[in-house]
Amino acid sequence: MTSQTFPAGGWKTRTVAIPRPLGKPALLRLRSRGPITTYFAKPWTDTAQERSSGAALFHTWGRSWHPFVLPGRYSHLEVCKARGNGVARWQLDRMLPEDVPPLPTTVAGHGTQLFSWEGEQLEMRYEYAARSGGLQFTHHAFDTGESLEVDRTGTQRGTVRVAGPGYLWVHSAPAGDWTLRAV
């Protein structure tokens, strides 16, 4: 596995080391540089004691940035090109905590976005404008980046409950317009 400085990029599958203190999450963003080339983000643990991969976290579409949280237990990220779809390059970059906006009580968005939430439990009503696909939500702990339980209903319309402080990842597949409003 190769070690890279940021930003990192390429046009085919590559595994990038994500240096940071052990157990701490990494705030990253990934994009394809072309409108029809899709890449998958796959986490890896590569230490003296263990080498293993996790399930793909998500896939890109279009040229949009896809911000996300890499949990602290993973040391690397593999960017894998989906077979037979375009020839564009990919770009991976770090984000700082201050680059992640706080979750407002009402927000309209498009595609994938990442928010921080400092408050207690929050319930939000959401709507996804596209006719196919839907919204996915992941709540990540601030200290480890591990996924926390999210209670939600529906893929295109419903409610999502955030249990407390952490990062809220909103992922629309395919990229579409969506809204979130506090109940």
Side-chain angles (χ1 to χ4, degrees):
M1 302 212 172
T2 61
S3 179
Q4 289 285 324
T5 57
F6 285 87
W11 60 274
K12 58 183 179 176
T13 298
R14 180 190 293 164
T15 303
V16 179
I18 312 295
R20 64 198 188 280
L22 184 63
K24 296 294 181 186
L27 301 175
L28 302 169
R29 60 187 190 152
L30 175 68
R31 73 173 174 172
S32 172
R33 300 297 300 261
I36 62 170
T37 306
T38 299
Y39 290 95
F40 289 89
K42 188 174 183 179
W44 276 87
T45 300
D46 189 7
T47 64
Q49 298 79 24
E50 177 186 359
R51 183 164 193 257
S52 62
S53 68
L57 300 172
F58 65 94
H59 68 276
T60 65
W61 58 86
R63 294 184 183 129
S64 301
W65 282 107
H66 298 270
F68 66 102
V69 177
L70 182 67
R73 66 186 152 115
Y74 297 112
S75 59
H76 292 72
L77 184 76
E78 183 178 37
V79 180
C80 311
K81 183 178 173 211
R83 294 185 186 261
N85 69 5
V87 295
R89 297 178 64 82
W90 55 267
Q91 187 175 5
L92 176 69
D93 206 356
R94 284 188 178 276
M95 295 172 48
L96 298 171
E98 52 269 19
D99 295 335
V100 179
L103 179 63
T105 55
T106 300
V107 61
H110 181 84
T112 298
Q113 291 190 25
L114 182 64
F115 299 99
S116 65
W117 176 249
E118 300 280 344
E120 298 299 318
Q121 182 175 334
L122 174 69
E123 183 174 347
M124 300 189 90
R125 181 112 179 104
Y126 62 86
E127 268 196 55
Y128 177 64
R131 291 181 176 240
S132 65
L135 285 181
Q136 298 172 3
F137 299 92
T138 306
H139 184 206
H140 296 274
F142 280 137
D143 58 346
T144 64
E146 291 299 325
S147 295
L148 302 169
E149 188 172 331
V150 171
D151 180 22
R152 78 177 181 108
T153 59
T155 53
Q156 293 187 305
R157 182 176 338 150
T159 59
V160 62
R161 283 186 197 89
V162 178
Y167 296 108
L168 180 64
W169 187 63
V170 182
H171 178 71
S172 68
D177 294 330
W178 48 265
T179 58
L180 284 168
R181 286 186 179 83
V183 176

